[in-house]
Amino acid sequence: MIPSNDNKGGEERRTLWIVLLLNAAIAVGFFISGFFADSSALIANGVDNLSDTAVYALSLVALTRGQTWKTRAAMASGVMLLIFAGGILIDVGRRYLQGSDPIGPTMMVMSAIAGVVNYLCLRLLQRLKDPDVNLRAATTFSFNDFISNGGILIAGVLVLWLGTNWPDLLVGFATAIIAIKGGVEILRDARAETKKSERRSS
């Protein structure tokens, strides 16, 4: 009989591979649509999903390592989120100063597609039992993505209705704030796991 831990590890590995590939595909879609739609919100979420893909790859490697390695991988994920948030803020500031002309319908269609994909990723990750710190970080990423997709949809409607770029810039800014919050939460969780491991070893 296969040990339950092997079954658990296999399920986690399959889940991470699925969400990794889905996020990579969505990132490409965001970049292409964001470029043609001149949308800060779409490009911001493309960067977000690309960083998620890297984090899921880290998580896959961490599954075969010890707790210390898993905690460090989670901390790397949190730092990556904070760096990504900084990049988005710079892009929003550039578009605010230089101007932009986002296309509302493209934003709405892409956000709806990404919303379905990110909801699927979130449900797959939430089905995992007793997730470690790294998998909890992955769940945080997917939840942030799903919330951001809703913001893009609303921004697309407002851009189409009002004929202005500020809803697009606002969602790009909000995406950065959500990323900062998620990054801080991941780092706190990783720090708590480190302290817990230290208490167990002492």
Side-chain angles (χ1 to χ4, degrees):
M1 178 181 287
I2 300 174
S4 58
N5 282 343
D6 289 348
N7 287 332
K8 182 174 182 289
E11 183 184 4
E12 291 174 347
R13 226 178 331 270
R14 283 191 298 273
T15 299
L16 284 171
W17 268 114
I18 291 171
V19 297
L20 184 154
L21 294 173
L22 287 175
N23 271 269
I26 286 297
V28 173
F30 270 131
F31 283 131
I32 294 174
S33 60
F35 175 78
F36 286 106
D38 195 18
S39 169
S40 178
L42 290 177
I43 291 175
N45 277 265
V47 176
D48 187 12
N49 283 97
L50 186 62
S51 65
D52 292 356
T53 302
V55 169
Y56 296 139
L58 272 176
S59 301
L60 277 166
V61 176
L63 286 177
T64 60
R65 306 297 181 93
Q67 184 60 40
T68 300
W69 209 97
K70 290 180 179 181
T71 303
R72 288 175 180 170
M75 292 182 72
S77 302
V79 171
M80 193 177 298
L81 252 186
L82 296 177
I83 293 173
F84 140 75
I88 291 178
L89 291 175
I90 291 172
D91 182 67
V92 170
R94 180 185 65 81
R95 290 173 186 273
Y96 175 76
L97 294 173
Q98 297 180 357
S100 61
D101 189 22
I103 301 174
T106 303
M107 294 171 64
M108 293 160 62
V109 171
M110 188 61 212
S111 66
I113 295 171
V116 172
V117 173
N118 283 314
Y119 179 75
L120 174 61
C121 291
L122 185 60
R123 293 299 298 162
L124 287 171
L125 289 165
Q126 287 177 335
R127 281 169 48 187
L128 297 175
K129 296 178 180 178
D130 301 319
D132 60 26
V133 62
N134 227 40
L135 291 171
R136 291 196 297 271
T139 303
T140 298
F141 272 79
S142 287
F143 179 75
N144 289 348
D145 291 344
F146 183 66
I147 296 298
S148 296
N149 296 149
I152 296 174
L153 181 61
I154 295 172
V157 173
L158 291 175
V159 165
L160 182 63
W161 180 33
L162 301 175
T164 181
N165 72 343
W166 68 260
D168 177 59
L169 298 179
L170 184 61
V171 169
F173 179 79
T175 300
I177 298 303
I178 291 172
I180 290 171
K181 180 177 179 293
V184 171
E185 288 176 354
I186 290 170
L187 290 174
R188 283 177 179 170
D189 194 16
R191 193 176 298 115
E193 284 292 326
T194 300
K195 290 180 179 178
K196 192 185 300 182
S197 297
E198 289 173 352
R199 283 196 297 268
R200 281 198 296 261
S201 60
S202 61

